[in-house]
Amino acid sequence: MTDPTENTTPTPVQFIAPDGSFAPNAGADEYRDIAESIDDAMLQRMFHDMTLVRAFDVEAGNLQRQGQLALWVPSHGQEAAQVGSAFATRAQDHVFPSYREHAVGFVRGIDLMNVIRLLRGVTHGGWDPKDPRNGNFHLYTLVIGSQALHATGYAMGIALDGASGTGDLEADQAAIVYFGDGATSQGDVSEAFVFAASYQTPQVFFLQNNHWAISVPVTRQSRTPLFHRGTGFGIPSVQIDGNDVLASYAVTAKNLDDARSGAGPRLIEALTYRIGAHTTSDDPTKYRTDDELASWVARDPIARFQTYLRARGADDAFFADVAAEAKDYAADTRRRTLALESPPAELIFENVYTDEHPLTAEQFDWLERYEESLEGGDAR
């Protein structure tokens, strides 16, 4: 961790070098025991999840280009930051995403078809965060930075309920919120820092710095490393190599346990890169160079991790099985997307109020009469 007054350029915590070798740097010393405690089975599950979500992401982008989705938000390149941190969460934790955390949602248990449904416009939220099958994974948030406030408020509630700081790490809760470099320029994030620091909330702010807020480079947004935003509010903060899944896991695990134990909020800045467009409505060739993109493609988190796993003894059969499963997963995503149907009109009225309400009943009756007045009797 850094002193809030320190202004030096950091060396991000790293375990796996870009060439795939295990080369922990000095910043990794504090977390080395955690990283080295991960067994081969868990490492291979991490690789499996990173690979399947990459295949899903590519297929979803193709579906959007073919007119099956209104929009797609790629996560290509950020798999290590997301999978590592998601594996570090405990079952009782609450996760607050932005709109690009497909891998986090996958690890926590949501059916990624719910993200497809959301961006196809056939659902009003995507999934129920209260459903145990969804692993306390809250809804995607398109209003930039607002999820930081949601997470902080929830974390305040955890503390006020006495559900953290009891000394039982298997039961104590924490919240983790994901946001990007662009969100750090939003007032909501600064306000979340204020309340988190003031109330010493049990939460981790997980900043994925993918270097571009649509077309605005991170160098335009801050003259200093972004993790200093946290230290400026008195929140212990650390910067990691976001393309290193071991660094993401180990640092997040320690910081979540510190937060849940009553030590207050933490911030992690994961240096990564958005390989694709901000969304499919964006053209990144208009604002970044081919050389910059190539330099980050060479640091691909999945390729790096594969080299590391091979050095640990993972064989060709393992990687072939994962590749085959990823191909099937992408094909199944396409099949299920093409089978989606439009929702019934009454769906929009169902969750306006907890109980049946005469106003929404009146509005639905009006809609039915209006549709019946049209040629064919259906506005859809």
Side-chain angles (χ1 to χ4, degrees):
M1 293 298 170
T2 62
D3 186 290
T5 62
E6 186 177 337
N7 233 353
T8 58
T9 300
T11 299
V13 174
Q14 181 185 87
F15 287 94
I16 306 176
D19 65 2
S21 62
F22 185 69
N25 61 16
D29 289 346
E30 182 180 357
Y31 311 96
R32 187 160 182 161
D33 288 347
I34 299 173
E36 293 183 343
S37 71
I38 309 172
D39 61 23
D40 286 332
M42 182 172 170
L43 291 170
Q44 291 184 8
R45 290 198 308 273
M46 287 178 168
F47 181 85
H48 167 275
D49 290 1
M50 291 167 68
T51 304
L52 260 65
V53 173
R54 170 78 62 87
F56 165 81
D57 182 45
V58 171
E59 189 63 37
N62 292 337
L63 286 163
Q64 193 282 329
R65 294 306 190 196
Q66 294 160 9
Q68 296 299 322
L69 302 176
L71 185 75
W72 184 246
V73 186
S75 60
H76 187 148
Q78 299 181 215
E79 295 90 354
Q82 293 189 16
V83 168
S85 59
F87 265 72
T89 59
R90 296 177 185 261
Q92 68 269 24
D93 293 336
H94 282 258
V95 181
F96 293 80
S98 60
Y99 46 74
R100 202 185 301 275
E101 281 69 47
H102 317 321
V104 181
F106 183 81
V107 172
R108 293 295 291 186
I110 73 163
D111 180 354
L112 288 183
M113 276 304 299
N114 286 322
V115 181
I116 295 284
R117 291 171 60 237
L118 181 66
L119 294 174
R120 188 178 168 97
V122 297
T123 173
H124 299 300
W127 55 90
D128 181 358
K130 300 188 299 297
D131 187 329
R133 293 174 297 179
N134 293 324
N136 297 330
F137 187 74
H138 291 251
L139 297 183
Y140 272 7
T141 307
L142 298 181
V143 179
I144 305 299
S146 62
Q147 71 274 17
L149 288 173
H150 304 161
T152 300
Y154 199 95
M156 289 170 65
I158 291 173
L160 291 170
D161 286 344
S164 63
T166 70
D168 183 359
L169 294 180
E170 299 302 322
D172 283 343
Q173 299 177 26
I176 183 170
V177 57
Y178 292 85
F179 55 104
D181 46 287
T184 64
S185 295
Q186 295 289 330
D188 282 359
V189 172
S190 291
E191 291 165 11
F193 289 163
V194 169
F195 276 83
S198 296
Y199 286 87
Q200 289 294 282
T201 53
Q203 75 182 109
V204 168
F205 293 92
F206 196 91
L207 162 58
Q208 292 178 91
N209 179 357
N210 66 20
H211 288 78
W212 289 92
I214 310 183
S215 60
V216 180
V218 68
T219 52
R220 182 71 50 80
Q221 301 204 48
S222 180
R223 298 291 184 182
T224 59
L226 288 176
F227 80 109
H228 285 311
R229 297 279 176 94
T231 58
F233 286 87
I235 298 173
S237 305
V238 61
Q239 189 182 69
I240 68 171
D241 180 346
N243 283 10
D244 175 358
V245 70
L246 293 190
S248 181
Y249 172 81
V251 174
T252 306
K254 183 181 186 306
N255 281 276
L256 273 172
D257 281 351
D258 287 347
R260 81 176 76 255
S261 69
R266 299 290 190 265
L267 183 144
I268 300 168
E269 179 189 5
L271 295 177
T272 184
Y273 196 79
R274 167 172 52 82
I275 296 298
H278 175 73
T279 70
T280 46
S281 65
D282 170 44
D283 180 3
T285 65
K286 301 293 186 182
Y287 53 79
R288 65 186 191 190
T289 67
D290 291 342
D291 288 344
E292 177 184 312
L293 176 60
S295 73
W296 281 95
V297 169
R299 289 175 266 182
D300 182 86
I302 296 178
R304 178 194 299 200
F305 196 30
Q306 179 171 337
T307 300
Y308 170 74
L309 291 178
R310 285 190 182 277
R312 287 181 64 101
D315 58 18
D316 289 341
F318 164 72
F319 294 110
D321 287 347
V322 172
E325 186 178 349
K327 183 178 180 180
D328 289 345
Y329 190 72
D332 188 58
T333 297
R334 172 170 290 273
R335 178 189 62 77
R336 294 174 67 191
T337 300
L338 297 179
L340 288 173
E341 297 180 352
S342 297
E346 57 266 26
L347 181 65
I348 197 172
F349 300 96
E350 287 182 356
N351 295 308
V352 177
Y353 295 100
T354 303
D355 302 314
E356 186 174 344
H357 194 283
L359 180 59
T360 53
E362 178 185 344
Q363 291 173 340
F364 180 59
D365 289 342
W366 176 89
L367 178 63
E368 284 193 314
R369 293 194 303 272
Y370 173 73
E371 289 191 343
E372 289 171 357
S373 72
L374 300 173
E375 184 177 353
D378 192 343
R380 289 164 286 172

